[in-house]
Amino acid sequence: MKSYWCLPLLALALLAGCSKDKEMDKILEISSPGGDLQLQFTLTEEGEPVYWARYKDTAILDTSALGFELVDAPSLRAGFEMTDYSTRALNDVWEMPWGEQREVSNNYNELTVEVREIPPPNRRMRLIFRIYDDGFGFRYEFPEQEGLETLEIAEERTEFQLTGNHTAWWIPGDWDIYEHLYNETSVSGIDALSKRDHPNLAQTAIPVNAVNTPVTMRTASGLHLSFHEAALTDYAGMTLMVDNDTYKLTSNLVGSERTPYKVKRKLPFHTPWRTVQVSPDAAGLIESNLIANLNEPNQLGDVEWFKPTKYVGIWWEMHLGKSSWDMASGKHGATTENAKRYIDFAAENNIGAVLVEGWNTGWEHWIGFEDREGVFDFVTPYEDYDLEEVVRYANEKGVEMIMHHETSAAPRTYEQQLDTAYALMQRLGIHSVKTGYVGKIIPAGEYHHGQWMVNHYRKVLETAAEYEVAVNAHEPIKATGIRRTFPNAISREGLRGQEFNAWSVEGGNPPDHLPTVAFTRMLAGPIDFTPGIFNMKLAPYKEESQINTTLAHQLALYVVIYSPVQMAADLPEHYEDHPAFEFIREVGVDWEQSKVLNGEVGDYVTIARQERGTDRWFLGSITDEQERSLEASLDFLPAGANYKATIYRDGEGAHWDENPSAFLIESFLVDRSTTLKLDLAPGGGTAVTLEPATAEDEERLQTYR
């Protein structure tokens, strides 16, 4: 394809003063509000829509084509003429009801281009480009038009033509899961076909060299890019096919074995946004709000019935083999007595909620069975679990209950019971549910990330909202910022979680896993990772497995890996009388503002967050297998105020494998002029509580030096 960098750029400001009819064959340009990002669009001589982009003086995308292959219809890729264009700008602020920050700046410039086929049937399409200082998004729109009622899309052909062989952090394209370990290679070294690496996964080995999104890259000059999508609605999820030789990424939609098309939509409709986050450093990717901003505003209004919270639950003991989900095993975990034990622990330790898994009938046949339709009943508890009594007891103790709905990947069974199940929750005053979709989707031929399941996940979310229920989805569709529109989408899994450390006899999640996740998966949205394991070697339950971090690293995750629901995942007996548990008791879950202090993808990251409604800050820093000394300036603290810093750090000789439990707790006086030195052990971390100093603190504590 011809490169258009050599052509003179014609800015929209110039076009606005010219006759549109004379300029329709020219190049349109739009810039970010700050001017550093520029995106250009034109039609080739063959009438093919193409775009390219620059950051300051650096080309970040070369000429990239846009279009579609259709089922039983000519493609929508060339033969177009430009019929109109328009521009607009927006600069406003919206408020997150919960999140990494309270206020979000939504400041962009937008270009809309209308194109029409020159030959019959003269189909029309719009291309909308929205450009921010932290990246850009674009989408296709199909207006209502005579003679075209429905589109059956065989494949979307959106291209991202990279300008070099960048370093990439990626997981293989998969139509069912995101639970692969991240790989770090050059773009030319991406080999997704060989990276299917866990026998327990319900993975789908698609026959193309494609990666799941978000996929993050660093250029030779240090510029950071991340490719993803936003506002995924009634459409198939997108993977990106990789050409190792030309460094081109091309959209490859998740399909279905039951239909000849990957997406079927009635007109008018628009696609999800295709997104590129851009930052001069890695930290800026985490601070970007591009994905949330590209979603529609809140449709639910006030969701005061959901409160961000920490929780404990009958979960980790099942992964350890101490108990089980099913009753027939003889070691059922979800008993009334055990649930009350967790409720008592939560009430005594500033933990707001308890999750009980395995409470309802059906677990004897939930996995490993071909026909799982009708297995689960989402309102009927096992005979040893008194649901009403457990809820009554929790209310008495001031603790919320979190419901659990494992569908066993049989969404039709779940949909049949949605209203009944959520009505039960509403009657009991339960406002949060963890959903699960373990296994291959029934009906056969559908996939977790195809259009059929995207619509199922949305139906669950919308139904839940009617009953004032918030959803924490596991085995989900990827996060694409829909939490802005439906703030009852509170969190989701969608990555290789903590449980892999209990399953694996080959090492579990390596120390660099979460320093990579922070710059990849977390860019998409909140993560229910379930941190806080203190029994690092998992004795006496799974001594062949282990947690591959230090204890201080586990503490720091409450700040680094964002979710409005954070689990204290270990067994209560491993927290009792442990001085480090104080950090979990105190750490916030809802934030006024967040600041990324430093970081490099896959290596380390340090984040500070101010608790919403208080003057307290919390800081978390984690590293990979390398020992590091980092600096963290506290210049975000208010001027003229002294703070007490309680520092939970790796102890002498700490090491993720050899000595993971070594830690120290120290307290000092600090202020905004202080720079903390963070000494991180291999696989280690530091967690810090920062709270306004009392008169007593100022008398007894030393100033940090």
Side-chain angles (χ1 to χ4, degrees):
M1 180 178 294
K2 184 187 295 183
S3 173
Y4 282 81
W5 286 113
C6 59
L7 293 178
L9 300 182
L10 186 60
L12 288 174
L14 176 60
L15 281 177
C18 302
S19 165
K20 285 188 179 182
D21 291 339
K22 293 180 180 179
E23 303 297 343
M24 285 306 169
D25 60 344
K26 300 294 186 182
I27 296 170
L28 306 181
E29 177 182 322
I30 189 168
S31 297
S32 61
D36 287 343
L37 265 174
Q38 305 96 36
L39 184 144
Q40 292 82 29
F41 172 87
T42 195
L43 297 176
T44 67
E45 294 177 0
E46 295 76 25
E48 183 179 27
V50 295
Y51 75 100
W52 58 102
R54 299 180 69 89
Y55 179 77
K56 296 184 177 178
D57 295 325
T58 302
I60 55 175
L61 291 175
D62 208 334
T63 311
S64 305
L66 302 166
F68 296 87
E69 302 289 350
L70 305 178
V71 176
D72 297 330
S75 67
L76 285 165
R77 300 188 66 181
F80 287 103
E81 61 178 351
M82 199 184 310
T83 59
D84 201 1
Y85 68 85
S86 61
T87 63
R88 73 184 186 104
L90 181 70
N91 185 9
D92 70 358
V93 174
W94 58 277
E95 184 171 314
M96 287 186 169
W98 51 264
E100 303 93 320
Q101 61 198 81
R102 182 188 297 274
E103 292 187 340
V104 179
S105 172
N106 189 23
N107 184 13
Y108 63 82
N109 293 325
E110 183 179 276
L111 166 66
T112 298
V113 184
E114 307 228 5
V115 297
R116 178 181 59 204
E117 282 183 308
I118 297 173
N122 309 120
R123 294 169 295 181
R124 293 183 288 119
M125 181 171 68
R126 295 191 192 104
L127 295 152
I128 295 87
F129 299 90
R130 193 173 288 180
I131 188 164
Y132 296 76
D133 287 334
D134 57 340
F136 61 88
F138 58 89
R139 72 184 184 191
Y140 306 83
E141 291 187 0
F142 291 93
E144 189 172 358
Q145 50 196 285
E146 188 176 348
L148 186 62
E149 296 182 356
T150 302
L151 277 187
E152 293 187 358
I153 298 172
E155 193 57 79
E156 182 184 320
R157 298 297 185 192
T158 298
E159 294 179 355
F160 303 90
Q161 178 59 67
L162 305 177
T163 57
N165 191 16
H166 309 325
T167 300
W169 290 268
W170 56 275
I171 57 175
D174 193 306
W175 288 4
D176 274 312
I177 67 164
Y178 308 107
E179 298 178 10
H180 297 280
L181 287 176
Y182 280 88
N183 303 274
E184 178 182 344
T185 70
S186 62
V187 172
S188 64
I190 293 174
D191 181 12
L193 297 175
S194 68
K195 293 295 183 180
R196 314 281 167 173
D197 54 4
H198 202 285
N200 291 342
L201 298 179
Q203 57 195 5
T204 300
I206 62 176
V208 295
N209 187 30
V211 296
N212 278 349
T213 66
V215 55
T216 296
M217 299 183 186
R218 184 181 62 222
T219 71
S221 66
L223 194 65
H224 287 71
L225 311 172
S226 189
F227 299 85
H228 190 42
E229 59 181 316
L232 174 56
T233 299
D234 196 9
Y235 205 82
M238 179 184 71
T239 68
L240 290 174
M241 191 162 51
V242 180
D243 187 317
N244 300 112
D245 297 323
T246 65
Y247 318 140
K248 180 187 293 183
L249 311 178
T250 305
S251 58
N252 186 258
L253 300 179
V254 176
S256 166
E257 304 300 326
R258 300 200 301 156
T259 65
Y261 53 81
K262 292 185 172 181
V263 172
K264 183 177 182 178
R265 291 292 305 269
K266 290 185 177 180
L267 276 64
F269 77 93
H270 57 73
T271 70
W273 296 94
R274 280 56 189 104
T275 66
V276 184
Q277 287 163 280
V278 183
S279 174
D281 56 26
L285 292 179
I286 300 176
E287 293 186 336
S288 168
N289 288 303
L290 179 73
I291 304 301
N293 270 330
L294 285 168
N295 280 262
E296 294 299 314
N298 184 352
Q299 292 186 9
L300 302 185
D302 189 358
V303 289
E304 55 82 24
W305 40 265
F306 167 70
K307 304 295 184 186
T309 188
K310 287 165 285 190
Y311 70 100
V312 293
I314 304 172
W315 174 79
W316 189 239
E317 64 181 65
M318 295 165 173
H319 288 291
L320 293 177
K322 179 184 178 182
S323 66
S324 68
W325 286 270
D326 66 286
M327 190 172 176
S329 66
K331 49 180 187 176
H332 188 215
T335 66
T336 302
E337 180 183 11
N338 203 22
K340 287 185 174 181
R341 182 172 74 96
Y342 279 87
I343 291 168
D344 287 340
F345 180 79
E348 293 164 3
N349 289 284
N350 194 33
I351 305 293
V354 172
L355 167 70
V356 177
E357 298 195 14
W359 68 274
N360 58 319
T361 59
W363 287 90
E364 287 77 12
H365 303 285
W366 76 291
I367 197 167
F369 289 82
E370 193 69 26
D371 184 8
R372 287 164 277 120
E373 293 279 25
V375 164
F376 281 114
D377 182 331
F378 300 100
V379 298
T380 304
Y382 279 116
E383 60 187 39
D384 61 350
Y385 185 74
D386 188 335
L387 175 62
E388 303 270 349
E389 170 59 17
V390 168
V391 173
R392 184 205 66 77
Y393 188 78
N395 289 338
E396 181 182 285
K397 295 285 186 174
V399 174
E400 296 183 16
M401 295 303 297
I402 299 175
M403 183 57 79
H404 184 244
H405 292 162
E406 174 54 61
T407 69
S408 68
R412 293 180 299 195
T413 292
Y414 192 37
E415 289 187 12
Q416 290 168 4
Q417 300 181 55
L418 276 181
D419 285 292
T420 304
Y422 288 147
L424 172 65
M425 290 180 60
Q426 187 176 55
R427 179 176 67 80
L428 294 173
I430 299 175
H431 292 289
S432 299
V433 62
K434 174 184 172 181
T435 60
Y437 295 83
V438 173
K440 292 290 188 179
I441 295 294
I442 300 174
E446 294 296 347
Y447 297 90
H448 283 76
H449 309 154
Q451 183 183 18
W452 191 79
M453 277 301 293
V454 167
N455 289 338
H456 165 79
Y457 289 116
R458 182 61 56 83
K459 181 176 182 179
V460 170
L461 197 60
E462 293 177 348
T463 304
E466 295 173 9
Y467 292 91
E468 297 187 342
V469 170
V471 178
N472 171 14
H474 282 230
E475 297 79 40
I477 186 61
K478 71 179 87 172
T480 61
I482 204 68
R483 61 175 169 139
R484 181 186 180 191
T485 311
F486 294 95
N488 68 321
I490 53 173
S491 195
R492 68 189 73 202
E493 189 183 39
L495 84 164
R496 180 166 294 204
Q498 186 84 272
E499 65 273 16
F500 279 81
N501 293 317
W503 297 349
S504 176
V505 296
E506 299 175 353
N509 298 328
D512 68 352
H513 180 54
L514 293 165
T516 304
V517 164
F519 298 97
T520 51
R521 159 65 182 87
M522 198 171 77
L523 303 182
I527 299 171
D528 187 28
F529 180 74
T530 60
I533 303 302
F534 280 16
N535 179 26
M536 315 304 288
K537 295 294 186 178
L538 309 184
Y541 306 105
K542 288 285 188 76
E543 296 187 64
E544 71 281 7
S545 303
Q546 68 178 58
I547 307 299
N548 296 320
T549 73
T550 67
L551 187 150
H553 184 122
Q554 289 289 307
L555 294 179
L557 294 178
Y558 287 92
V559 183
V560 171
I561 303 299
Y562 173 69
S563 177
V565 285
Q566 289 278 29
M567 189 178 197
D570 212 339
L571 308 183
E573 52 264 38
H574 294 145
Y575 293 138
E576 290 170 351
D577 300 321
H578 199 302
F581 188 59
E582 183 64 20
F583 183 81
I584 297 179
R585 290 190 188 99
E586 293 299 319
V587 67
V589 286
D590 196 20
W591 308 110
E592 182 69 28
Q593 56 180 317
S594 297
K595 296 184 179 297
V596 184
L597 306 186
N598 54 53
E600 292 292 344
V601 188
D603 294 338
Y604 62 92
V605 61
T606 306
I607 299 177
R609 304 188 194 271
Q610 182 190 5
E611 186 177 33
R612 195 174 294 200
T614 79
D615 294 323
R616 298 198 303 173
W617 286 79
F618 295 88
L619 181 150
S621 184
I622 61 174
T623 185
D624 60 3
E625 70 282 357
Q626 299 297 320
E627 180 179 7
R628 298 181 192 279
S629 290
L630 304 174
E631 291 188 343
S633 170
L634 303 186
D635 59 2
F636 49 80
L637 294 176
N642 287 332
Y643 270 67
K644 174 186 175 182
T646 304
I647 303 171
Y648 301 76
R649 65 178 180 86
D650 296 314
E652 185 174 351
H655 185 280
W656 66 268
D657 185 28
E658 298 168 4
N659 192 12
S661 298
F663 76 97
L664 288 174
I665 303 176
E666 301 173 313
S667 294
F668 299 94
L669 284 179
V670 299
D671 60 23
R672 70 189 322 268
S673 69
T674 303
T675 296
L676 296 180
K677 183 181 179 184
L678 309 178
D679 293 320
L680 309 182
T686 298
V688 184
T689 298
L690 296 158
E691 53 191 341
T694 65
E696 181 183 354
D697 293 331
E698 294 189 348
E699 282 187 10
R700 69 180 182 86
L701 294 179
Q702 293 183 342
T703 299
Y704 184 89
R705 301 295 181 193

